[in-house]
Amino acid sequence: MNKQTIRDVDLKGKRVLVRVDFNVPIENGVITDDTRITAAIPTLEAILKQQPKDVVLMSHLGRPKEGVPEDQYSLKPVAAELGKLMKRTVEFEADPLSEAAVAKANALPAGTILVLENTRFFKGETKNDPDLAQKFAKYGDVFVNDAFGSAHRAHSSTEGVAKYLPAVAGLLMEKEINFLANAVDNPTRPLVAILGGAKVSDKIKVIESLLSKADKVLIGGGMANTFFKAQGISMGSSLVEDTAVETAKDLLAKSKGKLVLPVDGVIADDFKNEANTKTISVSEGVPDGWRMLDIGPKTVEEFRKILADAKTVVWNGPMGVFELDNFAKGTNAVAGVLADLTGKGVTTIIGGGDSAAAVQQAGLGDKITHISTGGGASLELLEGQALPGVVALKDK
Ligand code: AMP
């Protein structure tokens, strides 16, 4: 990465303002997955080692109507969880834009961690309002951006604040960028990409970018259906994006054999776990009233063979409707293949979102080289786009 990090700056005695990604799932006040909190801790510990005056954290949480505080999106329980995980006192500030709050923060004892309330409770955050960015900037002498999951958004707390303070990357940001950018720009080859999920239209840019950079691109999930339709195969009631069929045709024509589609699939007579199912060859087509909800076992074997030669693998998007057990087999099998490859020295990278959830669900999280904390941000990196939250940081 060509940006400065916390290792390149002297933080001793400084007030360090850190943008983290604490956008964690909360159900009835209970945090159901603390991955993003634990992922920020190495950065926070490394900052504390430099003996700063204090460490002030900001993050968004969920999608409240901007400028309208709602209890269910408060970061208060997240601050408490961080305190438990770090075994430290963590303070919380509910009203960070008030002058009194800044004065209070400045009077905190050295080494204190303070979490500010959800940045989206304040008008202007998602519009990158400079006034709001300046108000956030009052909390720091240095700004550290460690929120990879929010780096693709130019918001006041990510890109905006970097204009008013010396701004560097945190260790999580550095790790994410190094893994994902290296994987596509400087990979140990062969590089094989696996793409799944619902829609081709969401991922056209990433498919195009990977077709130019990867050695093979394996397609699964609902998006494969649109490619099948483009080949004239009937898809019954399967999810097909009619508006993307022409694009799928173009991509197939451009792909020069790099793009690999499933050869078989699991079809169901209803969109539910208890539906009747059959495994069919794709060439047979899907009968009326049935829908393709997972890749089949022959496809898993085909993918396994191709992946056996890979030295780097990047995966984004599930191979089927993995939320329903009966259609999670393809996704779980691919997760298993990646876990085996990691054991053989292959670099395996999962680009966040649903595929990350699927790997964790299969209990294979610790057998993958790198699981990204940012779905949207990792897709944009794989597309070859610059992330505004990173562009704003100081160059090395
Ligand atoms: P995405 O957000 O584009 O990565 O899509 C993830 C979603 O795609 C998940 O909710 C899956 O259930 C869904 N999905 C994957 N395969 C299929 C399929 N064959 N038919 C319908 N939905 C699918």
Side-chain angles (χ1 to χ4, degrees), residues 196-199 202-203 221-223 225 239 271 292-294 316-323 354:
K199 290 185 177 169
D202 287 347
K203 295 187 185 165
M223 70 154 83
N225 299 341
L239 171 78
F271 197 102
M292 182 95 75
L293 296 184
D294 198 4
N316 182 289
M319 298 288 98
V321 182
F322 78 106
E323 297 93 336
D354 282 330

Side-chain angles (χ1 to χ4, degrees), residues 27 65 74 85 107 130-131 157 174 187 212 230 240 259 293 299 301 315 352 364:
E27 278 166 33
K65 188 162 178 280
S74 172
L85 289 167
D131 287 343
S157 69
E174 180 188 37
S212 70
V240 172
L259 207 108
L293 296 184
T299 303
E301 284 319 303
W315 178 18
L364 297 172

Side-chain angles (χ1 to χ4, degrees), residues 143-188:
F143 174 58
V144 175
N145 192 347
D146 207 29
F148 175 73
S150 306
H152 57 314
R153 308 249 183 262
H155 290 172
S156 298
S157 69
T158 59
E159 200 262 0
V161 68
K163 295 195 181 105
Y164 303 105
L165 294 173
V168 300
L171 303 181
L172 174 65
M173 180 73 91
E174 180 188 37
K175 186 169 139 198
E176 292 270 17
I177 307 267
N178 281 348
F179 268 112
L180 287 151
N182 272 350
V184 287
D185 294 328
N186 191 20
T188 313

